[in-house]
Amino acid sequence: MIKDTDRTYEALKEDIRKHDYNYYVLDEPEISDYEYDQLFNKLFEFEKENPQLITPESPSQRVGIAPLESFKTYIHKKQMLSLANVFSEEDLIDFFTRVDKRLVDIKDYEVFCEPKMDGAAISIIYKNGILETGATRGDGSKGEDVTSNIKTIKSIPQKLLHTTKFKIPSYIEIRGEVYISKDDFINLNKIASEKDQKIFANPRNAAAGSLRQLDPKVTSQRPLSFIAHGIGEMESVKIESLDAFFEMLNEFGLPTNPLNKKVIGIKSCLDYYQDILKKRESISFDIDGVVYKLNNLKHQIKLGEVSRSPRWAIAHKFPAEEATTIIESIDFQVGRTGILTPVARLNPVKVGGVIVSNCTLHNIDEIERLDPRVGDTVIIRRAGDVIPQIIKVVLSKRPNSVIPVEIPTKCPSCNSKVLSENASDWAVINNDGKHVKKYGSEIEAVHYIDGNNEFSLKEIKNKAAFIRCSNELECPEIVRGNIVHFVSRKAFDIEGLGQEIINTFNKAGLLNNVADIYKLKNHKNELMQMEGFGEKSISNLINSIENSRKIDLHKFIYSLGIQEVGEATSYNLAKEFKELETFLKTNFKHLIEIEDIGPKVAANIIKFLESEYSKPLIAQLIKELQIKVFKDVDSSLLTLQGLQIVLTGKLNNFSRDEIKENLISRGAKVLSSVSSKTSFVIAGENAGSKLKKAIELNVKIYDENEYESILKNPSKYT
Ligand code: IVH
């Protein structure tokens, strides 16, 4: 006879299991942490009073086991195979050609695509629905019995959930990956460093190390998670495909990867690869490629395996994101804003799929933090579309003779004095000095107080130190940088005035600022006598300069090269002020009310407009140019009116400018950063932080192909 207390105990355990599943597997808790703790306390209380009733699969028993002396060897009933790798499209085609040959007449077979997780492989065994054993992969035939540690992992149920669709099998072995998410890893190392404990090199090492702790209490402190990816030995299970197997696992309360996808054909596999590569940065755990598996289990059996790898699966690895190389020199480069940026010149090395030979060291703080020296061996990282970074100096390989980087006191370009500045965080405060909003930023220090004193920017914290050339008006690098930007395609688009020609004319004293471009025609004879120039090339150049005199307001604003005022912001400014004169008279308060403009950018604009350098320059340009008044378009054509769109990543079939112009001319706003107000993001290849933010904020993401449909069927998207 079942006693009432037994039933309450069973119900309580079932309840906690369900909440564990909701929290750790579905990530959709139904109760608060407090309510969960209450349930658990109830369980502890009950078990304290009725110790004879405690069952091994009770949620309280996850950490109930005493430390072990050593792990027992576990012999896998079915070998845990490993995967062969391909790194290229050609090798993938070869793989599928081999599959085609063996499948003979079977066409259009299904392929199951999964991210390749960078964790530790395990095998878990349930007997009649109760978790019985957990073992590491070991050499594939023999692993270690780590059951007590596996039991501490909250996303692995101690008992399978009952379901009407699938019968609980008498025996089932599930393979999968134990991992630590990126955020949990950072946290884990933070705690370790606070306690002066060993720092883990990466999430994979941390996960594998945690699984092999003899004391399960230690393992239980580690944020381990689990995702199932394979089938082991099974009894009384009727399953014909991988996707059906995973569906069954989900019903039993086991997590599988939500990014898994069933496809047909190599093209779709490659699309999947690109898609996951694009999402790589924003995925919460480390992955190092994707895995393609034949979905049909009969197809898998037909193909079999060779030397420990299945013929029915292959890993398509991403290019390595880290590489080791040597610093050959460290230079300071002067940018068009005058800031001197330290750059490490490297022995060229392939990383993230491209050859890297230069790597920015950002600023003086970074030099102090890393202490990179010429001759040092360094680890470079290039992830997605993020610029390469030096993440570590390998001190054990440092030669004896190396010396610290000398911070220049003179500009390497013009020998003028170098000024030190600190970038800061900023707060916007109102009249009463009350804090309105805080903005973290790494901009140069600008103490800006608005004319009517309604708002002011207050520097609240010093950040990275910058050094800047003091010769803003004449430093050749600053002057040349500004001219290069001014004539670039998205600005005045002056053909024939490339970087080298600009350098030559500048050295000859004919091009000392952007306004001088329009005086070049007065020096035609001088120009023609310069080496490498003839009558034809000079008259072509003069022609394209003359043709550029008429310009849209937004392009003019963009061409000024104000810090952090890109194309989208320039367009918004033109739309707001319509005429240059009005823009030139603007103030801080007005600027921060404009879409997409925060205090940091507003301060940059005001500083530029008020600078001694810009004022006379703009006056000269106005004399030379015809700057058009901004005109709004016919409202019936504004099919995308009200949409806020962000473009990111590399687009293959359309130029970014083309897309932008088309969207803007239909009334959409093309903004430079993603927020909760963003209508959608159009993401190309290797999109990085913007895509990540869109995913985080649950903003819709479309790919390049969808863009055409947006133009054709705008109502679907507005
Ligand atoms: S399937 C027979 N799927 O990669 C196929 N493995 O090199 C066996 N891995 O030891 C594995 N993500 O630890 C499979 N989605 C995935 C995977 C995956 C990561 C690991 C696994 C295995 C290694 C094989």
Side-chain angles (χ1 to χ4, degrees):
M1 201 186 84
I2 304 169
K3 279 191 291 179
D4 228 23
T5 44
D6 290 355
R7 208 174 289 134
T8 326
Y9 180 48
E10 279 311 314
L12 187 55
K13 286 190 294 183
E14 207 55 51
D15 216 16
I16 292 177
R17 266 182 219 120
K18 197 187 89 199
H19 292 303
D20 276 345
Y21 173 68
N22 289 339
Y23 188 91
Y24 292 105
V25 179
L26 299 183
D27 201 14
E28 280 170 12
E30 282 174 356
I31 56 171
S32 68
D33 290 358
Y34 174 76
E35 286 166 311
Y36 180 83
D37 290 344
Q38 298 265 302
L39 280 178
F40 229 105
N41 284 343
K42 217 163 138 186
L43 182 74
F44 277 137
E45 285 297 312
F46 181 88
E47 290 184 341
K48 214 163 102 191
E49 279 164 27
N50 304 284
Q52 76 287 359
L53 292 180
I54 300 177
T55 54
E57 84 294 348
S58 161
S60 66
Q61 300 305 295
R62 283 198 186 271
V63 213
I65 302 150
L68 302 172
E69 295 277 312
S70 64
F71 294 114
K72 278 191 283 180
T73 300
Y74 181 83
I75 300 176
H76 295 293
K77 278 213 170 97
K78 195 172 157 191
Q79 215 189 15
M80 285 184 79
L81 300 171
S82 65
L83 293 163
N85 294 325
V86 292
F87 285 90
S88 68
E89 202 173 313
E90 294 78 61
D91 291 347
L92 184 66
I93 293 172
D94 286 350
F95 167 78
F96 279 113
T97 312
R98 292 195 296 272
V99 172
D100 288 345
K101 268 194 195 141
R102 288 185 184 262
L103 285 184
V104 199
D105 290 332
I106 307 167
K107 296 265 165 317
D108 293 339
Y109 47 83
E110 290 172 341
V111 179
F112 199 79
C113 307
E114 297 170 37
K116 184 166 192 303
M117 308 190 54
D118 205 3
I122 59 156
S123 188
I124 50 177
I125 294 154
Y126 288 85
K127 278 193 188 154
N128 297 316
I130 307 290
L131 176 62
E132 205 188 76
T133 311
T136 60
R137 178 174 177 273
D139 65 4
S141 309
K142 279 191 239 121
E144 283 173 321
D145 184 331
V146 287
T147 309
S148 42
N149 288 341
I150 297 287
K151 282 191 173 169
T152 68
I153 303 173
K154 304 282 197 344
S155 47
I156 299 181
Q158 312 259 67
K159 190 176 172 201
L160 298 180
L161 297 179
H162 278 278
T163 134
T164 46
K165 203 163 170 192
F166 299 97
K167 212 173 125 251
I168 297 279
S170 55
Y171 187 98
I172 184 168
E173 188 177 1
I174 297 146
R175 266 81 194 260
E177 206 81 354
V178 168
Y179 68 97
I180 292 180
S181 78
K182 293 177 193 170
D183 286 349
D184 284 340
F185 174 71
I186 292 170
N187 225 4
L188 182 68
N189 264 352
K190 206 171 130 215
I191 296 169
S193 98
E194 278 163 13
K195 290 188 183 163
D196 256 348
Q197 289 169 345
K198 187 180 151 254
I199 302 285
F200 295 103
N202 54 49
R204 179 174 19 90
N205 286 1
S210 304
L211 268 184
R212 298 193 67 259
Q213 291 294 323
L214 288 169
D215 184 355
K217 284 209 174 57
V218 176
T219 311
S220 74
Q221 304 296 313
R222 304 279 169 81
L224 296 173
S225 300
F226 173 79
I227 279 187
H229 57 52
I231 308 176
E233 188 74 12
M234 293 192 292
E235 282 166 19
S236 68
V237 182
K238 284 196 198 87
I239 285 290
E240 293 185 346
S241 62
L242 258 186
D243 61 336
F245 176 73
F246 287 148
E247 188 200 336
M248 180 179 77
L249 293 191
N250 289 154
E251 294 272 326
F252 288 160
L254 278 151
T256 57
N257 203 325
L259 295 163
N260 293 350
K261 192 176 177 187
K262 193 170 71 177
V263 305
I264 293 175
I266 300 182
K267 162 87 177 56
S268 305
C269 289
L270 290 170
D271 287 348
Y272 180 79
Y273 174 90
Q274 287 302 340
D275 183 44
I276 299 296
L277 183 58
K278 206 156 69 184
K279 294 187 177 133
R280 183 180 192 179
E281 284 300 299
S282 56
I283 294 174
S284 62
F285 44 82
D286 278 349
I287 58 170
D288 57 356
V290 300
V291 185
Y292 311 115
K293 302 172 183 172
L294 297 192
N295 188 39
N296 188 316
L297 301 188
K298 282 199 191 112
H299 294 173
Q300 292 189 3
I301 293 167
K302 200 164 180 164
L303 271 112
E305 62 215 43
V306 59
S307 64
R308 292 173 167 216
S309 307
R311 287 202 196 89
W312 47 265
I314 194 90
H316 191 176
K317 299 283 281 277
F318 294 145
E321 287 188 323
E322 285 179 17
T324 304
T325 187
I326 290 174
I327 301 184
E328 291 183 339
S329 65
I330 295 175
D331 302 341
F332 281 79
Q333 262 182 358
V334 192
R336 79 181 151 84
T337 57
I339 288 174
L340 270 63
T341 306
V343 180
R345 312 286 175 199
L346 307 166
N347 192 357
V349 62
K350 194 164 181 183
V351 51
V354 301
I355 304 279
V356 172
S357 45
N358 299 314
C359 187
T360 177
L361 286 160
H362 302 288
N363 51 45
I364 308 303
D365 275 0
E366 183 74 348
I367 298 244
E368 274 169 17
R369 191 180 70 83
L370 280 172
D371 185 24
R373 304 182 185 189
V374 175
D376 265 341
T377 297
V378 285
I379 299 174
I380 309 288
R381 183 175 169 82
R382 183 184 174 273
D385 62 353
V386 179
I387 56 164
Q389 309 282 340
I390 294 181
I391 54 165
K392 200 175 164 193
V393 174
V394 187
L395 289 176
S396 58
K397 291 198 178 160
R398 171 169 278 178
N400 286 333
S401 54
V402 294
I403 49 164
V405 174
E406 203 176 314
I407 308 299
T409 51
K410 298 258 167 70
C411 170
S413 164
C414 67
N415 223 20
S416 307
K417 224 176 92 190
V418 156
L419 307 171
S420 293
E421 287 174 6
N422 280 317
S424 312
D425 273 1
W426 297 92
V428 174
I429 53 168
N430 65 13
N431 255 349
D432 322 319
K434 278 208 187 109
H435 193 246
V436 178
K437 247 177 179 178
K438 175 180 169 285
Y439 294 85
S441 65
E442 289 186 22
I443 56 168
E444 59 178 296
V446 178
H447 292 272
Y448 177 74
I449 307 288
D450 186 56
N452 56 20
N453 202 24
E454 275 195 40
F455 289 90
S456 59
L457 268 183
K458 191 180 162 211
E459 194 175 354
I460 54 173
K461 198 175 106 198
N462 279 342
K463 266 206 173 165
F466 287 102
I467 50 174
R468 174 193 288 283
C469 169
S470 58
N471 187 8
E472 203 181 342
L473 294 175
E474 285 159 10
C475 173
E477 283 304 323
I478 303 180
V479 170
R480 285 181 216 146
N482 278 326
I483 300 174
V484 169
H485 176 76
F486 189 88
V487 303
S488 65
R489 211 165 44 81
K490 291 171 192 167
F492 274 75
D493 193 15
I494 301 176
E495 229 176 284
L497 204 50
Q499 191 152 353
E500 274 187 34
I501 301 180
I502 290 172
N503 282 351
T504 315
F505 290 0
N506 176 253
K507 279 186 191 142
L510 296 171
L511 203 49
N512 297 318
N513 60 43
V514 293
D516 281 353
I517 296 172
Y518 294 95
K519 293 180 191 135
L520 283 175
K521 66 171 195 273
N522 307 331
H523 302 279
K524 220 170 164 179
N525 289 340
E526 256 171 288
L527 293 174
M528 264 166 8
Q529 271 150 34
M530 290 171 80
E531 215 187 298
F533 296 96
E535 190 168 353
K536 184 116 196 337
S537 58
I538 293 298
S539 79
N540 281 347
L541 175 61
I542 304 285
N543 271 345
S544 60
I545 292 175
E546 290 310 301
N547 289 338
S548 75
R549 284 183 191 262
K550 207 168 162 187
I551 187 143
D552 288 327
L553 178 58
H554 66 275
K555 289 196 175 177
F556 178 77
I557 295 176
Y558 173 74
S559 73
L560 295 173
I562 306 169
Q563 264 188 63
E564 290 178 81
V565 177
E567 273 180 286
T569 308
S570 303
Y571 192 89
N572 290 336
L573 287 166
K575 195 166 180 187
E576 176 71 20
F577 296 104
K578 307 278 189 291
E579 288 178 32
L580 181 64
E581 277 306 301
T582 341
F583 170 58
L584 296 179
K585 284 188 216 131
T586 186
N587 60 32
F588 180 77
K589 181 172 175 277
H590 190 162
L591 286 169
I592 56 168
E593 280 162 6
I594 301 171
E595 198 97 58
D596 203 26
I597 295 184
K600 183 173 143 193
V601 175
N604 287 345
I605 297 171
I606 296 293
K607 189 197 166 212
F608 181 88
L609 295 180
E610 290 182 353
S611 103
E612 273 176 43
Y613 161 74
S614 329
K615 271 189 186 164
L617 198 64
I618 294 174
Q620 282 185 59
L621 284 170
I622 292 174
K623 278 192 211 142
E624 301 286 353
L625 303 169
Q626 192 187 333
I627 302 161
K628 293 190 240 170
V629 173
F630 182 88
K631 269 211 194 74
D632 268 336
V633 253
D634 175 357
S635 65
S636 69
L637 301 172
L638 299 179
T639 50
L640 300 175
Q641 178 84 306
L643 292 186
Q644 300 194 2
I645 303 171
V646 175
L647 302 178
T648 181
K650 186 171 156 269
L651 305 158
N652 284 327
N653 304 326
F654 305 93
S655 84
R656 189 180 263 253
D657 291 341
E658 189 185 339
I659 298 191
K660 198 176 265 183
E661 254 167 50
N662 275 327
L663 296 173
I664 289 174
S665 68
R666 286 164 171 79
K669 282 192 180 118
V670 177
L671 302 179
S672 51
S673 60
V674 177
S675 75
S676 56
K677 285 200 224 144
T678 308
S679 315
F680 54 79
V681 169
I682 301 181
E685 267 174 39
N686 293 334
S689 57
K690 290 182 195 175
L691 181 67
K692 185 175 172 189
K693 186 124 191 244
I695 295 171
E696 267 168 26
L697 295 176
N698 222 358
V699 169
K700 279 199 201 100
I701 300 158
Y702 296 127
D703 64 13
E704 210 179 334
N705 302 330
E706 195 97 11
Y707 155 72
E708 280 187 288
S709 149
I710 296 171
L711 300 190
K712 276 190 208 134
N713 296 308
S715 55
K716 246 178 81 184
Y717 300 86
T718 45

